[in-house]
Amino acid sequence: MANVAIIELDRNCAKVVEDIVKLERKIFPKHESLASFFENELKKKNSGLLYLHVDDELAGYVMYSLPSSLYASITKLAVKEQWRRQGHGEALLKAAIEKCRRRKVSRIMLHVDPLRTPALNLYKKHGFQVDCLVEGYYSSDRNAYRMYLDFDSS
């Protein structure tokens, strides 16, 4: 059985950041990648990153931000290809939702390519709803669904 751990990024851990930037460059097209300014994103006090290790290897990560006290945004969720369809993306998503929930936000938002069916289904499984289609979000010919998850105000 694999040794799996979700870890909150220690902003001083250069090796992990380097590995995440490599994964970011591999998974996302250049115009969607945060790789070139990843470290600047991590310096923001209102952002967080959780990463997943499987047998001491980086398997994936989720990045989120809290731009206001009312809502949070999941800005990236990525899992290495060989670790997909094993529940790792779901584990990262659940951990990020819990982190945001603890901050008492009332909504989490994210964007997803409508053609990325596994990601879309994962978000829907966890209660995210499609708000609208944002045309040209990723590029002139690639759209995104803006999705949201609301928490009870009780």
Side-chain angles (χ1 to χ4, degrees):
M1 176 130 177
N3 180 19
V4 179
I6 294 178
I7 305 160
E8 188 159 14
L9 182 69
D10 173 353
R11 297 182 196 288
N12 298 320
C13 189
K15 172 68 173 123
V16 173
V17 171
E18 182 181 314
D19 289 347
I20 289 171
V21 168
K22 284 180 191 173
L23 181 57
E24 175 83 6
R25 283 192 172 113
K26 185 173 183 178
I27 291 177
F28 295 102
K30 189 174 186 175
H31 65 279
E32 291 176 33
S33 174
L34 292 175
S36 59
F37 53 95
F38 203 84
E39 291 185 43
N40 288 338
E41 284 295 305
L42 292 176
K43 288 177 185 172
K44 295 178 181 175
K45 290 187 189 320
N46 67 344
S47 70
L49 186 138
L50 304 170
Y51 63 96
L52 182 106
H53 265 182
V54 179
D55 294 332
D56 294 322
E57 177 189 340
L58 177 68
Y61 64 95
V62 61
M63 189 173 207
Y64 59 93
S65 67
L66 297 130
S68 85
S69 60
L70 300 175
Y71 77 96
S73 180
I74 293 178
T75 53
K76 287 286 179 167
L77 174 61
V79 176
K80 277 186 181 175
E81 197 163 338
Q82 71 265 31
W83 297 112
R84 292 180 186 165
R85 300 201 180 277
Q86 298 175 43
H88 300 310
E90 183 170 18
L92 284 164
L93 179 62
K94 287 166 77 172
I97 290 170
E98 186 54 36
K99 282 279 185 188
C100 295
R101 183 175 291 186
R102 281 193 221 134
R103 296 288 294 267
K104 307 235 185 282
V105 297
S106 58
R107 173 174 279 195
I108 300 175
M109 296 176 24
L110 58 81
H111 290 85
V112 63
D113 184 327
L115 300 177
R116 292 194 173 168
T117 307
L120 187 58
N121 290 339
L122 173 65
Y123 299 138
K124 285 181 176 180
K125 177 181 176 181
H126 287 277
F128 283 86
Q129 299 176 47
V130 174
D131 180 32
C132 66
L133 180 71
V134 182
E135 293 186 19
Y137 180 81
Y138 293 108
S139 65
S140 61
D141 61 343
R142 277 192 62 221
N143 304 324
Y145 284 141
R146 182 172 61 204
M147 300 183 77
Y148 67 93
L149 172 65
D150 283 339
F151 298 119
D152 290 337
S153 56
S154 56

